[in-house]
Every structure is written in structure tokens, then in C-alpha cells.
Amino acid sequence: MSRKLILVVEDDRVVSRDIQLQLRNIGYDVAGAGVSGEEAIAMAASQKPDLVLMDIRLEGDMDGIQAATTIRERMRVPIVYLTAYADDETVRRAGESEPFGYLLKPFEETQLRAAIEMALYKHAAEKRLHESERRYATTLSSIGDAVIATDSAGLITFMNPVAEGLTKWKMAEALGQPVVNIFRIINEDSRQTVEDPVAKVLRLGTIVGLANHTLLIAKDGTEIHIDDSGAPIIDDHGEISGAVLVFRDIGHRKQMDDALRQAQADLALVGRLTRLGELAASIAHEVNQPLTAIVSNAETCLRYLEQAKAAAERMSQNSHRAGEVVRSIRSLAGNAPDKFTEINLNDVVMEVVGLLRGEIKRHGASVETSLTPVPPLVQGDRVQLQQVVLNLVMNALEAMSAAAVSTRTISIGSHRPEESEIELFVSDTGPGLGPVDGERVFDAMFTTKREGMGLGLSICRSIIEAHGGTIKADIPQFEPGATFRFSLPLANGNLAK
């Protein structure tokens, strides 16, 4: 172990030499000897001693207490006072400088050794404590969550930069303030103040969390969705000495949850509407035939029965009006493109894959995508096109799950067979559909599933045709798997009318 370096500051040069001799006798090195406070500060800065033996009465304008205070503040070097004075005022002033010892002259060599050893030990412990505090502060400052610490009275003792950013309070402003002044929270729905979590932690002595729908009101009035937890700080005696709050901004997560719920609701709605459209189209087809006969008969009456002309004209007019109603129903079922917008088809695919991520995992399947790098922009209805891709992917998952296949992979890709159109395909490694006509699978009420309704692919075809595109199925006769592909005109091409 290296010998400790001691700086001696004593204005009596005879006493100073005697102290230096004692230090060397008990195994210490002497960094130097000063006689004034100014000299002591300069020598401490240049020699960097392990400890300073400081006389209180020194030459010059600065006494030992003033010099010791400066050395402690600048260099954190431990100080042991050597003095012949022990009056109350001197002891009080010396204590304020946080010395590590106080020796009254004259003293024995053993007393000097004991004072130095105790001072060095206390300084090492203090140094370890400071290092621990720095590690603690650095750790809390670098984590991604906001952290606020308080004492047992609920007054703030620490805030990390994330907490400063969310509350809009600087730690220097917040220190010593009640936490409720800085961490102001309300319920999003009732707008009522939520119970202070620090007070709850201090009262119960357990970890607590905030209820859902909690808003943090920042210093500038900004409202931030948060969740958090609070925990007690327990001292060495098992007593609660304070609390720690950890909280985070969940605004982005809440937006994602809201968007997901809305997408699921939209997909469910479009499914119901498209089924209604198929049914309306079927009714329109059946009703239109007798209406055509009525119109024909009415027109015959107009030509040959002069006396029934007025009645026949009314019949013809009403029949044409009914035909218009039916055609409007068929137009609704056909998803007329009067409200289409420009859509990136690649985005539609990735939105559906994200929406079905849990379902894909549940079926033990994987999805591979090979989408065209140039964004394929089409004119259409985003929700309806999502419904098409969702139907095709769900059909693939159900087909692979119904059979004992070793690999369950869905491939989704897109390419441009022509300049004016984009083609997208969905393939699977399932058992295939067997010897089935590729056109027939799109007929309404046709299904190969035991509990299927036979409407999914029929709806897909209706949506794609309403968008001016085509859809078809590639069903290999002697190989597993199936591929469904549809093409749509690009936004800068000619949309099918």
C-alpha cells in the first residue's frame, strides 16, 4: 500500500518541524509545510495531498478555517484541525467547515496517528458514498422513463431529465417543493384531480400504480397521457424515508390502440355492408325481370288499347321508377367509385399483416412479403381493399390449419405486369382446393369449407371489379397450395369505368 501524503499548515515553524518528524516516524510522507491560508490552498492544489493538518491561527489575512473551507470545496481533501484554542465560537466555526478531526495542542504521537487514521477512513467512506450517489444519479438520468424522488414529507429531492421534459419544470425550480405542485394529475374523463401517488405510497408503505385514463398537466398547461408507479424508499432502520415516482408518456401507444380499434371496427362494418350489397344485388337481379315484363306489357297496352292509355302510362311510369330504385341498389352493391381516394397498395398490405399478427402467430404460420419498391398508387376505398387482402390471408391461414402441413407460409407480393396496372398475389403452402374450377370459387354461396358461407371470395370479386380490376385463382391440380391474384389500374393510368 502506498504511503499517505500529508500537508502540514502551521505558522509556528518549530511546531511544524516537530509535526513533520512525527508524521515520518509513524509512516506518512510530508507533502510540504505552509504558514498561511493562501499558501495552504496553493500547495493543496499542486501537491494533491491525502490529508491536511491545519492550524486555525495562521499568518496573513486568511485563517485556517477559511483556508480549510476553500480546500474542501475545491479539492474534497479531508482536514484535521491542530489548535490550542477550544472556545465555543472557534469550535462552531470549525464545525461548519466539515472537518474530519480536531486535535488540541499539545498532543501525543499516538493521538496524531489515531486522528489521521480516523480521518482517512471517514474520507474513504465519504468518497464511496459520493461515487454511489453519482452512479445512482447517472443511472436515473439516463433511463427512458421519468423519475421523481421525494423525502418523507413529499418534498422533491430529485428529477431526471425525462421528468423535467414531461412536467416542463427544471429540477433547480422543483427541489424542495411539494410533489403535488409539480406532478399535477387528473382523470381524463371526469377532469377531477387524482390522489397524489406519493402521499398514497407514504401512507400505505407499498408500491402503487395510477388508474387508466390519467392526464399529467405540465407547467405550460400541456396535457399528457401517462401511466406510472410509485414505491417507498426504506432506510436502514426499516422506516419510510421518501418515495420514488416512475412514469412515462403513453400518448403514442394510446393513439395506436385507438387506431387499431377503429380499423377493426371499420373492417367489421365493411364486411356487413358488403354482405348486404351481395344480397341487394341478388334481389335486384330477380326483381328486375318481372319489372321488365310489366314495362313491355304496359307499352303494348299503349299501342293497342286506346281506352287504357292513361292507366298504362301510369303503370309504365311507376315501373320505370321501380327500375330506377333497383338500379340504385345495384349501384350501391357495386361500390360506385365516386368517393375513391389515392391509396398506396403496399401500405394496405402491411396494415393487414400488422392487424393479423396475433392470428398468424396463433396458427403457427409466417408471412413473407415481396412488394414492388415503387409505391403502387391506386384509386380506391382503403377499407374495402383491406377487406380483400384480409379475406385472402384468412382463407390461407384456415386452409393451412385444416391440414397437416409441415410448413405454413403465406407469400404476399406485387409487381407491374403493365405500365398502367399493378398485380398483387397471396399464396399459401396449404393442401390446395382440389379439382375445382378457378372461376367457380368466386360464385356466391360456393364454398369448400364445412362451415363456410361461400360469400368471402364473391365479396372480394365485387370489390375488385368495382375498383376497375380483375381477380383470379391459380389452383394447381397436382401440387399443394393455392394462389389468388388481383390487378388494379394505377392512379395515373386509365381506371376501368
Side-chain angles (χ1 to χ4, degrees):
M1 180 182 294
S2 62
R3 290 160 63 97
K4 298 299 182 181
L5 193 62
I6 311 296
L7 174 63
V8 179
V9 184
E10 168 63 62
D11 64 344
D12 188 323
R13 289 165 176 78
V14 174
V15 174
S16 177
R17 283 195 298 271
D18 183 56
I19 293 173
Q20 294 176 53
L21 180 60
Q22 290 184 57
L23 290 173
R24 293 188 179 96
N25 288 338
I26 57 180
Y28 298 113
D29 289 335
V30 177
V35 296
S36 69
E38 293 83 0
E39 190 177 12
I41 294 171
M43 294 180 70
S46 62
Q47 298 298 319
K48 296 181 173 53
D50 296 301
L51 182 139
V52 177
L53 294 175
M54 179 76 71
D55 190 10
I56 292 180
R57 298 290 178 88
L58 298 174
E59 295 179 2
D61 297 330
M62 180 182 292
D63 68 7
I65 294 176
Q66 293 171 310
T69 302
T70 302
I71 292 172
R72 283 282 293 159
E73 289 175 351
R74 295 182 184 178
M75 289 157 270
R76 306 299 300 175
V77 176
I79 306 293
V80 173
Y81 286 120
L82 307 176
T83 183
Y85 302 94
D87 59 277
D88 291 344
E89 178 60 21
T90 300
V91 171
R92 183 192 65 77
R93 289 184 59 233
E96 291 177 352
S97 64
E98 299 179 352
F100 283 74
Y102 197 99
L103 275 174
L104 287 176
K105 302 175 187 176
F107 49 80
E108 301 292 333
E109 190 174 282
T110 55
Q111 294 175 314
L112 178 62
R113 179 199 291 270
I116 293 175
E117 290 297 322
M118 290 300 298
L120 291 173
Y121 180 81
K122 286 172 59 180
H123 178 63
E126 181 186 75
K127 188 176 180 180
R128 289 193 298 271
L129 177 60
H130 287 161
E131 289 174 351
S132 176
E133 289 176 345
R134 281 196 295 272
R135 285 194 298 271
Y136 160 78
T138 301
T139 300
L140 293 182
S141 297
S142 62
I143 65 175
D145 289 341
V147 179
I148 296 177
T150 76
D151 61 16
S152 59
L155 304 180
I156 292 177
T157 58
F158 175 83
M159 290 176 66
N160 72 347
V162 181
E164 290 181 324
L166 292 182
T167 63
K168 303 298 188 296
W169 283 85
K170 293 296 183 183
M171 184 167 71
E173 302 174 303
L175 286 179
Q177 290 206 45
V179 69
V180 292
N181 292 355
I182 310 302
F183 188 71
R184 297 171 51 220
I185 51 177
I186 64 172
N187 180 272
E188 179 184 13
D189 299 323
S190 67
R191 310 297 295 181
Q192 297 297 312
T193 300
V194 177
E195 181 184 5
D196 170 22
V198 168
K200 193 172 182 180
V201 167
L202 296 176
R203 185 177 73 252
L204 301 177
T206 60
I207 296 174
V208 300
L210 283 182
N212 293 329
H213 311 295
T214 298
L215 291 176
L216 169 68
I217 310 299
K219 184 180 181 182
D220 61 1
T222 305
E223 297 184 356
I224 305 166
H225 289 91
I226 63 167
D227 67 3
D228 88 330
S229 63
I233 301 173
I234 308 299
D235 63 17
D236 294 339
H237 304 290
E239 300 294 330
I240 298 175
S241 60
V244 174
L245 281 178
V246 180
F247 55 101
R248 63 199 60 83
D249 183 352
I250 60 168
H252 180 67
R253 188 178 77 191
K254 188 174 185 300
Q255 291 175 357
M256 295 292 290
D257 291 343
D258 292 344
L260 177 59
R261 284 193 292 271
Q262 185 60 47
Q264 292 171 333
D266 290 344
L267 287 173
L269 176 61
V270 77
R272 292 194 295 271
L273 290 178
T274 48
R275 287 178 175 82
L276 177 61
E278 290 288 324
L279 181 61
S282 176
I283 294 172
H285 175 73
E286 297 300 324
V287 173
N288 205 44
Q289 292 181 354
L291 287 176
T292 301
I294 294 173
V295 172
S296 178
N297 291 332
E299 290 175 347
T300 300
C301 289
L302 288 173
R303 286 195 300 271
Y304 296 105
L305 301 175
E306 200 59 35
Q307 66 274 20
K309 181 177 180 180
E313 286 177 343
R314 289 193 297 272
M315 186 184 299
S316 178
Q317 292 170 357
N318 289 331
S319 298
H320 280 296
R321 188 179 302 115
E324 289 297 326
V325 172
V326 170
R327 278 190 290 276
S328 69
I329 295 174
R330 295 187 68 180
S331 175
L332 174 63
N335 301 297
D338 57 335
K339 294 183 180 178
F340 284 179
T341 58
E342 192 169 88
I343 298 169
N344 184 337
L345 196 59
N346 286 352
D347 290 346
V348 171
V349 171
M350 299 314 295
E351 288 163 359
V352 172
V353 171
L355 185 64
L356 294 179
R357 184 172 289 109
E359 196 71 11
I360 293 167
K361 183 178 180 181
R362 188 175 68 83
H363 283 79
S366 62
V367 174
E368 299 175 350
T369 58
S370 56
L371 304 175
T372 174
V374 178
L377 303 180
V378 299
Q379 290 287 340
D381 184 295
R382 177 180 292 273
V383 176
Q384 290 184 4
L385 293 178
Q386 285 177 337
Q387 180 72 11
V388 172
V389 178
L390 185 144
N391 249 321
L392 298 181
V393 174
M394 285 301 301
N395 282 349
L397 286 174
E398 291 169 0
M400 292 187 294
S401 296
V405 294
S406 58
T407 302
R408 298 179 180 179
T409 303
I410 298 174
S411 300
I412 306 175
S414 62
H415 67 101
R416 295 177 60 173
E418 296 181 12
E419 285 297 320
S420 61
E421 70 176 20
I422 182 74
E423 183 180 85
L424 187 141
F425 68 85
V426 178
S427 299
D428 63 66
T429 58
L433 297 175
V436 177
D437 183 359
E439 285 297 318
R440 191 183 174 201
V441 297
F442 295 99
D443 291 344
M445 306 304 174
F446 176 84
T447 181
T448 60
K449 304 175 187 177
R450 178 176 299 178
E451 298 178 0
M453 296 178 62
L455 290 175
L457 291 176
S458 175
I459 290 169
C460 289
R461 180 170 64 181
S462 298
I463 293 174
I464 294 301
E465 290 178 350
H467 284 71
T470 59
I471 187 170
K472 61 181 179 179
D474 296 338
I475 307 173
Q477 296 296 313
F478 304 103
E479 296 179 6
T483 300
F484 290 83
R485 61 183 76 243
F486 63 85
S487 59
L488 294 171
L490 291 170
N492 57 355
N494 295 320
L495 282 173
K497 301 298 183 181

